[in-house]
Amino acid sequence: MNFLTDNPALYEAQFPDPDHRAARFVDDQVRRFDGGRNLLDVGCGTGRDAGRLAVLGYDVTGIDVSEAMLAYARERHSRATFIHADMRDFALGRRFDVVTCLDSAMLYCHTNADLAAFLRRCREHLRPGGLLIAEMRGAAHFLTHPVPVPFTRTVTHAGVTYTSRTELWIDHSAQLLRRRRTWSWPGGGPLEQHSAWRLLFPQELTYFLAVAGFEVLDLFDQPGPRAEPHDGPPLSADRLHVVARLAKDPHHA
């Protein structure tokens, strides 16, 4: 159960992307590295990015574990195909030119086994030479910046104002950034929910990709669709982006 994923319209109100920055970022990387037009979006959520990429001329399939998100996506983005599947064990019976995994979706692979399983699924669903494009929180950022203090934000949707209070902390032993978010609204709440993201460092991510048969083409913190301004050392910003190519004859570890 997740309050935002169970309420996709509220999710989009909370995290708007009116300029389609995420989809434009993907399109830029595909063009930059001569990728193809058949694309799989893993963790597609509301389908906003998949739908926009379909408008740009891609043949897009999106997968997600949230039935509510998928129903919302199907209603609004008829040019894309949406399938219920888990990122660690999906089996679609076809290969793609590009696999995308945006907005830290990869970081829901909390363990090494989860991450390895996800990358194996990507390998099995990409044609030789296909691209994997991922965008996520940057672990190195938390070595040089304190974890943000608890913060509160409000969002109004369908005439109702929702308030969320978010606390973040690092679980060092599990290498997770944990989150507690408490929701309240007139006549409702409090509703407390927990989630976490795996913290992946650049060399660690490169190693997992190499074991899965990928060559890293670029690893960068800026520019990106959700990257904040940053003037520190390279790869120490709050967002990390990777573009990797599957080997023509991928090594099966």
Side-chain angles (χ1 to χ4, degrees), residues 136-148 168 170 177 199-202 221 228-240:
M136 67 200 79
R137 290 175 178 268
H141 176 78
F142 295 98
L143 294 178
T144 55
H145 296 77
V147 175
L168 299 171
I170 296 177
L177 177 64
L199 293 175
L200 288 171
F201 295 91
D221 46 15
E228 297 292 336
H230 174 70
D231 57 4
L235 300 182
S236 66
D238 64 325
R239 293 284 170 167
L240 181 65

Side-chain angles (χ1 to χ4, degrees), residues 115-184:
L115 183 59
F118 165 65
L119 292 176
R120 283 196 300 270
R121 292 294 83 215
C122 291
R123 181 179 68 202
E124 295 302 319
H125 285 78
L126 275 170
R127 63 168 176 79
L131 297 179
L132 171 61
I133 301 171
E135 177 254 342
M136 67 200 79
R137 290 175 178 268
H141 176 78
F142 295 98
L143 294 178
T144 55
H145 296 77
V147 175
V149 298
F151 58 93
T152 300
R153 64 187 300 179
T154 61
V155 59
T156 299
H157 172 67
V160 178
T161 298
Y162 299 86
T163 300
S164 62
R165 183 179 189 273
T166 302
E167 302 170 77
L168 299 171
W169 69 96
I170 296 177
D171 179 342
H172 292 85
S173 61
Q175 204 171 310
L176 296 175
L177 177 64
R178 294 194 180 275
R179 178 180 69 188
R180 178 189 300 113
R181 179 176 283 158
T182 305
W183 288 94
S184 60

Side-chain angles (χ1 to χ4, degrees), residues 6-7 19 30 39 68 80 92-93 139 175 203 215 220 223 231 248:
D6 289 346
N7 296 276
D19 298 324
V30 172
L39 185 146
L92 306 182
Q175 204 171 310
Q203 288 298 314
E215 173 196 3
F220 57 98
D231 57 4
K248 297 291 185 180

Side-chain angles (χ1 to χ4, degrees), residues 2-251:
N2 183 294
F3 188 61
L4 281 178
T5 56
D6 289 346
N7 296 276
L10 179 60
Y11 179 96
E12 290 202 339
Q14 176 90 330
F15 302 112
D17 186 9
D19 298 324
H20 301 289
R21 291 177 297 170
R24 287 193 288 112
F25 168 77
V26 169
D27 186 47
D28 287 345
Q29 300 308 313
V30 172
R31 293 176 183 276
R32 179 184 174 203
F33 292 106
D34 297 320
R37 309 304 287 179
N38 294 316
L39 185 146
L40 173 64
D41 185 20
V42 177
C44 64
T46 64
R48 179 171 56 196
D49 302 331
R52 183 59 183 177
L53 287 165
V55 169
L56 293 176
Y58 290 85
D59 177 4
V60 184
T61 299
I63 65 171
D64 204 280
V65 294
S66 169
E67 293 283 15
M69 286 286 203
L70 292 169
Y72 184 91
R74 291 180 186 119
E75 289 177 1
R76 286 159 178 80
H77 305 290
S78 60
R79 296 189 186 187
T81 299
F82 297 99
I83 299 172
H84 182 262
D86 188 295
M87 66 191 303
R88 296 163 297 184
D89 62 8
F90 61 94
L92 306 182
R94 60 172 292 197
R95 291 182 181 266
F96 298 84
D97 300 317
V98 181
V99 172
T100 60
C101 194
L102 305 176
D103 199 16
S104 297
M106 183 188 292
L107 304 186
Y108 289 112
C109 295
H110 290 172
T111 67
N112 291 345
D114 286 344
L115 183 59
F118 165 65
L119 292 176
R120 283 196 300 270
R121 292 294 83 215
C122 291
R123 181 179 68 202
E124 295 302 319
H125 285 78
L126 275 170
R127 63 168 176 79
L131 297 179
L132 171 61
I133 301 171
E135 177 254 342
M136 67 200 79
R137 290 175 178 268
H141 176 78
F142 295 98
L143 294 178
T144 55
H145 296 77
V147 175
V149 298
F151 58 93
T152 300
R153 64 187 300 179
T154 61
V155 59
T156 299
H157 172 67
V160 178
T161 298
Y162 299 86
T163 300
S164 62
R165 183 179 189 273
T166 302
E167 302 170 77
L168 299 171
W169 69 96
I170 296 177
D171 179 342
H172 292 85
S173 61
Q175 204 171 310
L176 296 175
L177 177 64
R178 294 194 180 275
R179 178 180 69 188
R180 178 189 300 113
R181 179 176 283 158
T182 305
W183 288 94
S184 60
W185 60 96
L191 175 62
E192 183 176 298
Q193 300 201 306
H194 296 256
S195 58
W197 298 278
R198 171 70 180 267
L199 293 175
L200 288 171
F201 295 91
Q203 288 298 314
E204 181 183 19
L205 178 57
T206 299
Y207 172 78
F208 274 101
L209 286 164
V211 168
F214 289 88
E215 173 196 3
V216 173
L217 301 177
D218 201 3
L219 189 64
F220 57 98
D221 46 15
Q222 295 183 96
R226 298 172 183 86
E228 297 292 336
H230 174 70
D231 57 4
L235 300 182
S236 66
D238 64 325
R239 293 284 170 167
L240 181 65
H241 313 86
V242 63
V243 183
R245 189 184 303 280
L246 183 64
K248 297 291 185 180
D249 182 19
H251 168 66

